Amino acid sequence: MKRWTVQTVTEAKGKTKLGCVTAYDAAFARLADEAGVPIILVGDSMGNNVLGYANTLNVELEDTLRAVGAVSRGAKDALVVADLPFGTYQAGQDRAVENAVKCIKAGADAVKLEGASVEVCLLIRRLVESGIPVLAHVGMQPQSVNVYGGFKKQGKTREAAAKVMADAKAVEAAGAFMVTLECIPAELAAEITAALSIPTIGIGAGPVCDAQWLVMHDLLGLNERVPGFVRKYADLAAVVRDAFKAYVADVAASAFP
Ligand code: KIV
């Protein structure tokens, strides 16, 4: 298998739909990579899935850098994308570029950031001009959970849909190589996918996107509660719990070691 690059991901638009996942450590990144997953995101969903927080806002750049290093050592062929944590790209462009550079030096091939404001689009352009590919993120932006007052589907009214479409076009014009569409109506995601020349990657945005994200812990059945759009491809929680139980019982019964 050839290594996935920004170019091969872009060229897949309209030809092959890409099933992509998050991962946060070397062991799972290696398994995803061996399974042929084209893009692995070191998501700030590490906050909920690994660090035990209620949302993504507490993730620090150091958490991401450590995980990016591990994932990039585990994955041989997948494109590794670092999700810039909340607070690492909002306080000025120079700081944002420095933080994105740290992610690339830690092993990422690209960075992801949320939003499509004028400031964010200028930052996307500057990052790309500095040699850092950017995967954009519009629709529901989890780092804005406190602005929304909860994780709420976006783009539901005609005006809101027009705003998400305009955001997607703005990040494309700014130079993003791909755009995440999170929690928007499927019809809107289909319209955006048709309107853009860069690939879209959906999560809770219906089947018509060029690619899909699934959070690894949701896909593998490690989370008890998952969003309605998730499909569990395994029940690892049960497998792992049973293995721990069997081990504890074996030790108690002097059956191990
Ligand atoms: O951090 C995350 O898991 C994400 C999703 C869009 C995949 O950003």
Side-chain angles (χ1 to χ4, degrees):
M1 170 66 205
K2 272 212 332 262
R3 213 172 177 281
W4 284 91
T5 63
V6 163
Q7 284 68 33
T8 52
V9 165
T10 308
E11 284 160 16
K13 184 173 172 93
K15 299 189 191 112
T16 315
K17 286 192 176 190
L18 307 178
C20 306
V21 301
T22 64
Y24 318 96
D25 66 25
F28 281 103
R30 181 171 54 77
L31 294 173
D33 190 80
E34 286 171 0
V37 170
I39 307 177
I40 300 179
L41 174 68
V42 182
D44 60 358
S45 52
M46 170 192 336
N48 329 27
N49 293 300
V50 179
L51 302 176
Y53 293 116
N55 55 45
T56 62
L57 300 180
N58 294 86
V59 175
E60 299 289 353
L61 185 64
E62 289 65 32
D63 301 321
T64 297
L65 294 177
R66 190 54 70 102
V68 164
V71 167
S72 66
R73 287 187 287 276
K76 280 198 336 279
D77 295 326
L79 190 83
V80 175
V81 179
D83 211 0
L84 289 179
F86 179 62
T88 64
Y89 60 99
Q90 287 86 353
Q93 298 235 345
D94 290 348
R95 220 165 117 195
V97 174
E98 274 171 26
N99 290 335
V101 166
K102 285 184 188 164
C103 291
I104 300 297
K105 287 188 189 286
D109 301 302
V111 299
K112 177 166 97 52
L113 46 77
E114 297 181 8
S117 64
V118 173
E119 291 72 26
V120 168
C121 288
L122 287 171
L123 176 60
I124 292 174
R125 182 165 299 287
R126 186 157 159 207
L127 288 169
V128 176
E129 282 170 359
S130 309
I132 301 177
V134 176
L135 201 162
H137 185 147
V138 304
M140 210 275 283
Q141 296 153 42
Q143 293 179 8
S144 298
V145 59
N146 290 331
V147 175
Y148 305 136
F151 294 105
K152 295 187 180 151
K153 194 168 192 162
Q154 300 296 303
K156 290 202 292 188
T157 63
R158 195 198 289 250
E159 297 73 43
K163 165 85 170 73
V164 181
M165 173 66 87
D167 284 353
K169 287 184 175 168
V171 295
E172 171 173 55
F177 73 93
M178 191 173 207
V179 57
T180 295
L181 305 178
E182 180 157 2
C183 286
I184 59 171
E187 312 72 52
L188 174 59
E191 280 171 30
I192 294 173
T193 300
L196 299 191
S197 54
I198 59 171
T200 59
I201 179 160
I203 178 160
V208 183
C209 298
D210 298 302
Q212 295 288 332
W213 291 125
L214 264 187
V215 166
M216 182 195 98
H217 286 56
D218 293 342
L219 182 159
L220 296 178
L222 285 164
N223 284 334
E224 309 273 288
R225 290 179 36 221
V226 295
F229 60 81
V230 165
R231 183 177 297 171
K232 288 190 187 185
Y233 285 85
D235 188 4
L236 276 202
V239 172
V240 172
R241 203 181 291 114
D242 287 350
F244 284 141
K245 270 190 198 160
Y247 164 66
V248 169
D250 277 358
V251 171
S254 301
F256 177 84

